[in-house]
């Protein structure tokens, strides 16, 4: 809390080096720490969960298999049979964002998906991959993507720039959607939590009045769990749709 | 960086309320590019994401895939085995039905043959019996005719004696045997017994 009646809603997003002097020298912040934890948890879930290799899965194995099946189905349905090639990438992307969102909801944690630098980097990876795949499969024919077949040729001067802008705005919308959702949720948590503390300063009335924002924060937590899963899904599904376009060109 | 600049403008508008006044001056930590950590997390993201991708794609995900494939394989094998067993059972049932039908046909044929044989044997038996009975009947009739003839032969004698005796009692004198004999003979002849 900042002094006085201000609410430090954005302080939670400040980056600090962790792991002492070593962390400081290599720029290892709590954000990077959470990425590492998310990666370890993902690998841990799969390796520990699948270690039994049971025909009838236990809980952890069922979770790992459900996650696998969910992303696998998404790839096949959105991209088609070629989706199998991109499945490891989409799986990595989905679990990385999902765990980033979910871990960020834990107290004393940090949501690295609330940083535009991170989400934009992820979106940049996606768009570079999509463009690379499209060029590798279709070569120069890829550029016909910017002028849909059957469109009147005298409108080319209008359609082509619009298509190019829409293509280039993909990573922007992809990254800002995730970033804004995460920031908004965490700011709201902070604001309502600050209300509770402020109310508590007002004595007995405040203690009773503080129940309101507390209840709101509880409801908000449920909502944010939904948002965390939904945004990871949206990011992954849009990646699959872009990959579909890259593979099939419309 | 144009979207980022636009976003920072948006953020300033968003945070322009008095409670956020101090924040607005500091700006969003997300866009604080003076902090080297903001950029360094991109580098760390690249390293960790790449490592995660390589580990997942080369090691962790194939494990899941192999388990899922093994399960799908064993389920398919079980289904195949069940289908095979069902087919074998159906074949056995068909064989059973055809064997039963064949056995029934054979049995029917054998019964018919046996009945025919028995009927033929019975007919032959009947014929010999009939012949034997005919023969016995003929012999019996011959004997009856002989007995009747002999009985009828005795009848004349008995009738003559009885007549002679009755005539003797009635008349008190012995009857003339010749006349009696003639009368009896004519009476018998009239009755067809001579």
């Amino acid at each position: 809390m900042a002094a006085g009646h201000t609410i430090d809603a954005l302080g939670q997003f400040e980056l600090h080096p962790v792991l002492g002097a070593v962390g400081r020298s290599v720029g290892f912040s709590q954000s990077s720490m959470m990425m590492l934890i998310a990666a370890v948890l993902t690998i841990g879930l799969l390796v520990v969960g699948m270690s039994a290799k049971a025909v009838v899965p236990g809980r952890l194995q069922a979770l790992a298999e459900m996650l696998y099946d969910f992303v696998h189905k998404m790839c096949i349905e959105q991209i088609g049979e070629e989706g199998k090639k991109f499945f490891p990438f989409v799986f990595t992307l989905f679990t990385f964002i999902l765990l980033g969102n979910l871990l960020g909801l834990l107290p004393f944690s940090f949501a690295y998906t609330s940083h535009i630098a991170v989400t934009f980097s992820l979106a940049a990876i996606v768009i570079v991959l999509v463009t690379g795949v499209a060029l590798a499969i279709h070569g120069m024919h890829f550029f016909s993507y910017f002028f849909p077949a059957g469109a009147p040729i005298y409108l080319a001067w209008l359609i082509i720039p619009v298509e190019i802008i829409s293509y280039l705005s993909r990573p922007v919308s992809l990254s800002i959607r995730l970033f804004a959702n995460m920031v908004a949720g965490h700011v709201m948590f902070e604001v309502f939590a600050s209300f509770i503390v402020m109310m508590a300063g007002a004595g007995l009335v405040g203690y009773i009045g503080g129940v309101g924002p507390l209840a709101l924060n509880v409801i908000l937590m449920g909502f944010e769990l939904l948002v965390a899963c939904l945004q990871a899904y949206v990011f992954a599904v849009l990646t699959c749709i872009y990959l579909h376009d890259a593979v099939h060109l419309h | 960086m144009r979207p980022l600049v636009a976003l920072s403008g948006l953020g300033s508008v968003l945070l322009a309320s008095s409670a956020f006044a101090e924040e607005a001056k500091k700006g969003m930590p997300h866009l604080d590019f003076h902090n080297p950590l903001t950029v360094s997390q991109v580098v760390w993201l690249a390293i960790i994401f790449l490592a995660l991708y390589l580990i997942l794609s080369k090691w962790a995900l194939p494990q899941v895939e192999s388990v899922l494939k093994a399960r799908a394989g064993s389920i398919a094998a079980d289904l195949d085995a069940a289908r095979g067993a069902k087919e074998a059972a159906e074949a056995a049932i068909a064989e059973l039905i055809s064997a039963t039908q064949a056995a029934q046909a054979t049995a029917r044929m054998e019964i018919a043959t046996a009945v025919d044989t028995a009927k033929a044997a019975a007919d032959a038996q009947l014929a010999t019996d009939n012949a034997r009975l005919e023969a016995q009947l003929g012999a019996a009739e011959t004997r009856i005719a002989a007995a009747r003839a002999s009985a009828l032969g005795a009848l004349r004698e008995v009738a003559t004696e009885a007549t002679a005796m009755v005539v003797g009692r009635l008349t008190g004198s012995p009857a003339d045997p010749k006349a009696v004999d003639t009368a009896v003979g004519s009476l018998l002849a009239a009755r067809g017994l001579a």
Side-chain angles (χ1 to χ4, degrees):
Chain A
M1 273 299 298
H5 289 292
T6 58
I7 299 172
D8 185 11
L10 293 173
Q12 58 176 323
F13 299 113
E14 275 166 22
L15 295 165
H16 308 287
V18 292
L19 301 178
V22 180
R24 195 172 292 118
S25 66
V26 294
F28 199 77
S29 60
Q30 80 271 40
S31 171
S32 314
M33 191 62 176
M34 291 313 294
M35 292 177 197
L36 196 58
I37 292 172
V40 169
L41 281 178
T42 306
I43 295 164
L45 168 68
L46 291 190
V47 172
V48 176
M50 303 310 291
S51 61
K53 294 190 189 300
V55 174
V56 178
R59 290 182 195 179
L60 213 55
Q61 190 181 337
L63 178 64
E65 286 179 8
M66 271 165 61
L67 193 62
Y68 182 99
D69 265 345
F70 178 72
V71 181
H72 199 258
K73 209 176 280 172
M74 181 162 73
C75 281
I76 301 291
E77 277 174 8
Q78 300 293 340
I79 309 175
E81 273 306 300
E82 301 90 339
K84 280 178 187 160
K85 275 187 292 188
F86 304 109
F87 165 67
F89 174 73
V90 177
F91 187 89
T92 311
L93 198 64
F94 177 72
T95 51
F96 190 72
I97 295 172
L98 178 67
L99 273 177
N101 294 350
L102 288 176
L103 288 176
L105 292 175
L106 296 175
F108 306 110
S109 169
F110 185 84
Y112 51 81
T113 43
S114 68
H115 264 258
I116 184 74
V118 173
T119 60
F120 192 79
S121 303
L122 290 171
I125 295 173
V126 168
I127 217 68
V128 167
L129 174 79
V130 165
T131 311
V133 165
L135 281 173
I137 294 179
H138 303 287
M140 285 299 121
H141 190 61
F142 160 67
F143 293 103
S144 73
Y145 184 80
F146 298 111
F147 189 71
I153 195 79
Y154 55 86
L155 280 179
W157 62 273
L158 184 64
I159 291 173
I160 292 174
V162 166
E163 287 286 331
I164 290 174
I165 290 169
S166 115
Y167 190 82
L168 291 180
S169 66
R170 279 175 174 181
V172 177
S173 66
L174 202 56
S175 57
I176 290 181
R177 182 183 301 111
L178 175 59
F179 151 78
N181 268 285
M182 287 300 112
V183 170
H186 285 262
V187 165
M188 265 152 75
F189 277 135
E190 183 83 33
V191 168
F192 286 122
S194 302
F195 281 164
I196 303 172
V197 179
M198 284 175 177
M199 291 277 205
L204 184 62
V205 182
Y207 284 138
I208 298 166
V211 173
L214 177 63
L216 270 174
N217 248 4
V218 172
I219 295 166
L220 200 59
M221 182 55 88
F223 182 69
E224 282 303 312
L225 281 171
L226 173 75
V227 169
C229 299
L230 198 67
Q231 287 305 320
Y233 176 71
V234 166
F235 203 104
V237 132
L238 283 173
T239 301
C240 287
I241 290 171
Y242 297 159
L243 280 168
H244 172 268
D245 280 358
V247 172
H248 302 284
L249 283 190
H250 288 295
Chain B
M1 287 301 113
R2 185 150 273 195
L4 298 190
V5 173
L7 196 77
S8 98
L10 189 78
S12 323
V13 173
L14 198 76
L15 303 171
S17 69
S18 66
F20 297 108
E22 198 175 320
E23 288 308 311
K25 267 179 270 163
K26 263 171 34 181
M28 295 175 80
H30 313 89
L31 302 173
D32 179 10
F33 291 103
H34 297 298
N35 187 348
L37 291 173
T38 307
V39 180
S40 76
Q41 68 175 340
V42 174
V43 178
W44 280 112
L45 167 72
I47 296 170
I48 294 168
F49 192 81
L50 184 67
L52 180 64
Y53 172 72
L54 289 177
I55 293 172
L56 286 180
S57 62
K58 301 288 172 211
W59 184 52
L61 289 176
Q63 288 184 35
V64 185
E65 193 188 5
S66 72
V67 170
L68 291 181
K69 265 200 182 134
R71 178 178 307 144
S74 78
I75 287 173
D78 286 356
L79 282 178
D80 279 352
R83 220 171 281 131
K86 196 187 166 205
E87 273 164 14
E90 273 167 5
I93 287 173
E95 200 183 325
L96 175 71
I97 288 172
S98 70
T100 311
Q101 280 170 346
Q104 279 175 348
T106 317
R108 252 195 307 264
M109 226 162 66
E110 277 174 9
I111 287 170
T113 319
V115 167
D116 284 351
T117 318
K119 226 183 248 170
D123 283 350
Q125 184 67 42
L126 198 64
T128 47
D129 283 357
N130 278 348
R132 192 165 47 79
L133 288 175
E134 290 288 339
Q136 284 177 355
L137 205 61
E141 272 171 3
T142 316
R143 275 204 306 279
I144 288 168
R148 180 187 161 98
S150 65
L152 284 178
L155 185 63
R156 182 174 186 129
E157 202 177 318
V158 171
T160 310
E161 274 176 20
T163 308
M165 199 158 46
V166 168
V167 170
R169 290 266 181 90
L170 286 175
T171 60
S173 59
D176 178 19
K178 223 176 200 171
V180 167
D181 190 50
T182 309
V184 165
S186 66
L187 280 170
L188 283 173
R191 287 185 173 88
L193 295 171

